[in-house]
Amino acid sequence: MLEITNKVAEEKNTISWNQKILLPFLGLVAWWLVFAFYETFPDSILLFVIIGFIIFAASIPQRDNALGFVLWFPITGGLVSLLLTGLLLFYGEVGSSVQAGPSMAPLEGAAFTIGAAILLGAIVFLIICIQLRPRIYPTLICILTVLNTIAIGIVGYNCYENSIAQIVDIRILDSAGKPIPNVEVWYRVFGYNPEGASAKNMAFHDPPILSNLNGNVQMRSKKGRHETYAVFKKAGYEAISMQLGMQYNEWQTSRDIYLLAKNARIATSKIPNTEPIKFTIYLPKFEEANPPAGRHNFSTTFPETGGMRYLDLTKRQFTDDPQADLRFDFFEEKDSQGDSRPRLRITGLNGVRIQQVPFDSSLVNPLSSFDNVMKMASVDGYEESIVLKDPGCEPGPRVYVKTQKGDKYIRLVVDGSYSPREPHSPGRVNVVLFENPANPRVLMSDGGSN
């Protein structure tokens, strides 16, 4: 009788081949499915935490059978992976915040507090997981399985990162077109979900990289739905920020890019999505960018028979006086399809001249001029009148105005509406005016993105 009892106990404690191999494999697959699902739906982190607690709670009564092991080890492996990566990132963030000192934003402090709480919770939860490990497997088997799972996860993640890596090669020039060496470049790469929103991770590059003698610098970015943000700094030059947009699908042949100075957008462009991505930016000296232009808004309505169609640049208002500086006239013109389209003619009066510049700049060959990228008024190239073919289109072209003496420059953003089918109805013109008495040609906006 005793022999039969011992035999039954021995069979009960024997681990079959499927428990040794199949069930750990299924647990590993389950862990990968969770992370794959999280990559697609990063906003569901709270749901995954809840599910993780439920699974962990379900594994506690199953400590004496194989099911407990399948439920336990993916959670333990995930917690160890979180601590391995999270602690390093958190340490780097704490270091950067110490350098920032009192200038650190309040939200940064809140983010650090939340991050510290998450890491502390992960450590406590990991200790509980270790204490409640499944009894069906020896301790050594549990450790090896968790480490193997982490190793596979790290290798898989690195392979994925290398597959989406993309080099961004930037040339940095001054206003004369000469390369600028030793420019400090700080950059971050943001990851986004399939809908193109909700940043889920950031890669910080610290210390900054430096441009070489030819003014070139290479940043390691990522393909697809990733956005690159960079800041270019050098003593004696105005800091310029860059935001390189995402590639939403494989058929998208270009990426949007924005350049900013003093928190104001100075240039918008499109960059070919090549391997590597290449383009050029300018870095202005302080005297070429200070101070930003002042901004003024006003509007008018007028019929074709008369009205407040004249703009006085000195008084910054519309008037019916023909002795003002600019005149606005709507007219209709047939397009290639034979349809009537509204046009807006702007005419300079009393020696005032006008120039129309496309809204977008080119940062690749052919490269736009320094003046164009930095929203600086050109010295030459002005005409007596220009025609806005799509006056109601936003963003419209930039309009630069030069006075007769050439000592004053103004940038206008013009938006107008007029219906050719109703010629007696008043036309509407909205104008945003930028001027800079301290540095007349520097007309980047003081706030806003116009």
Side-chain angles (χ1 to χ4, degrees):
M1 184 69 179
L2 182 60
E3 292 180 358
I4 295 175
T5 303
N6 291 336
K7 186 176 181 180
V8 171
E10 183 179 350
E11 291 178 352
K12 182 177 180 181
N13 293 326
T14 299
I15 303 173
S16 63
W17 70 271
N18 63 316
Q19 293 175 332
K20 290 181 179 180
I21 300 175
L22 182 60
L23 288 176
F25 175 76
L26 291 177
L28 179 60
V29 171
W31 183 49
W32 272 103
L33 287 176
V34 167
F35 275 85
F37 185 76
Y38 170 67
E39 286 291 317
T40 306
F41 302 98
D43 293 331
S44 305
I45 182 62
L46 180 60
L47 175 63
F48 285 114
V49 171
I50 294 174
I51 293 176
F53 274 107
I54 294 175
I55 294 175
F56 177 72
S59 69
I60 295 177
Q62 306 294 331
R63 294 182 68 196
D64 292 327
N65 57 47
L67 179 61
F69 184 75
V70 173
L71 297 175
W72 173 84
F73 96 86
I75 296 178
T76 307
L79 286 171
V80 176
S81 298
L82 172 65
L83 291 173
L84 286 175
T85 56
L87 286 173
L88 291 176
L89 289 174
F90 185 76
Y91 175 77
E93 285 296 287
V94 170
S96 62
S97 68
V98 170
Q99 294 178 358
S103 63
M104 184 176 65
L107 288 179
E108 289 187 67
F112 288 149
T113 303
I114 294 173
I118 292 175
L119 291 178
L120 180 61
I123 293 174
V124 173
F125 195 23
L126 179 61
I127 294 174
I128 296 175
C129 284
I130 294 174
Q131 291 294 325
L132 297 178
R133 68 172 183 80
R135 297 169 182 166
I136 190 171
Y137 289 105
T139 302
L140 181 59
I141 294 295
C142 293
I143 294 174
L144 291 177
T145 306
V146 170
L147 292 178
N148 181 65
T149 302
I150 295 171
I152 293 175
I154 293 174
V155 171
Y157 178 77
N158 288 336
C159 290
Y160 170 75
E161 287 290 295
N162 290 330
S163 69
I164 64 172
Q166 187 170 48
I167 298 299
V168 179
D169 192 339
I170 304 175
R171 183 177 56 159
I172 308 172
L173 304 178
D174 62 14
S175 57
K178 297 180 180 180
I180 309 177
N182 298 321
V183 176
E184 290 187 352
V185 182
W186 303 77
Y187 75 93
R188 301 174 179 177
V189 180
F190 298 83
Y192 287 77
N193 68 18
E195 285 72 35
S198 185
K200 67 173 183 291
N201 59 65
M202 293 180 291
F204 296 87
H205 193 286
D206 189 14
I209 54 179
L210 299 176
S211 60
N212 60 22
L213 294 177
N214 296 321
N216 287 87
V217 66
Q218 287 190 340
M219 299 184 297
R220 184 180 174 86
S221 185
K222 297 180 181 179
K223 302 176 184 176
R225 296 181 180 92
H226 291 87
E227 184 175 282
T228 306
Y229 177 80
V231 180
F232 304 84
K233 296 181 178 180
K234 185 173 182 176
Y237 291 83
E238 183 68 36
I240 295 294
S241 302
M242 177 210 75
Q243 183 178 348
L244 180 61
M246 297 175 284
Q247 179 188 9
Y248 289 95
N249 55 61
E250 57 183 319
W251 301 283
Q252 183 178 326
T253 59
S254 64
R255 290 191 177 194
D256 294 328
I257 183 172
Y258 307 102
L259 298 182
L260 305 96
K262 302 179 180 299
N263 299 318
R265 186 181 300 177
I266 56 175
T268 302
S269 184
K270 288 187 179 294
I271 304 299
N273 200 41
T274 57
E275 293 290 344
I277 292 179
K278 291 186 175 183
F279 57 93
T280 301
I281 69 167
Y282 295 102
L283 206 61
K285 296 179 180 178
F286 282 135
E287 60 269 20
E288 296 170 329
N290 285 315
R295 172 174 177 158
H296 310 278
N297 299 64
F298 36 88
S299 61
T300 185
T301 57
F302 57 86
E304 281 306 295
T305 55
M308 308 274 285
R309 66 175 67 249
Y310 299 95
L311 178 59
D312 189 317
L313 297 176
T314 303
K315 297 180 179 179
R316 302 187 196 125
Q317 66 181 22
F318 278 100
T319 177
D320 55 4
D321 184 4
Q323 298 302 314
D325 301 295
L326 297 175
R327 173 180 171 132
F328 294 78
D329 294 286
F330 282 107
F331 66 97
E332 60 179 308
E333 184 178 65
K334 293 189 180 297
D335 59 15
S336 58
Q337 306 296 324
D339 297 326
S340 294
R341 299 294 183 185
R343 311 298 190 205
L344 178 60
R345 179 182 288 109
I346 307 176
T347 305
L349 307 174
N350 303 315
V352 173
R353 292 295 178 260
I354 314 171
Q355 184 181 75
Q356 182 177 180
V357 178
F359 181 82
D360 287 343
S361 302
S362 175
L363 302 182
V364 295
N365 190 31
L367 178 65
S368 293
S369 66
F370 175 84
D371 292 348
N372 176 272
V373 174
M374 292 298 156
K375 286 187 178 176
M376 295 182 65
S378 301
V379 177
D380 304 313
Y382 291 83
E383 307 173 78
E384 183 178 346
S385 67
I386 62 171
V387 174
L388 304 185
K389 291 189 175 182
D390 296 302
C393 179
E394 293 184 5
R398 302 175 188 172
V399 177
Y400 290 95
V401 179
K402 180 181 180 180
T403 60
Q404 182 180 15
K405 295 181 181 179
D407 58 347
K408 185 176 183 179
Y409 296 87
I410 289 175
R411 180 167 65 87
L412 303 179
V413 177
V414 181
D415 168 32
S417 64
Y418 169 72
S419 176
R421 297 181 181 180
E422 302 177 10
H424 299 292
S425 64
R428 177 187 58 82
V429 175
N430 297 322
V431 172
V432 184
L433 182 150
F434 298 92
E435 63 178 345
N436 187 350
N439 199 341
R441 292 181 56 224
V442 178
L443 297 172
M444 64 178 66
S445 57
D446 185 11
S449 58
N450 289 319

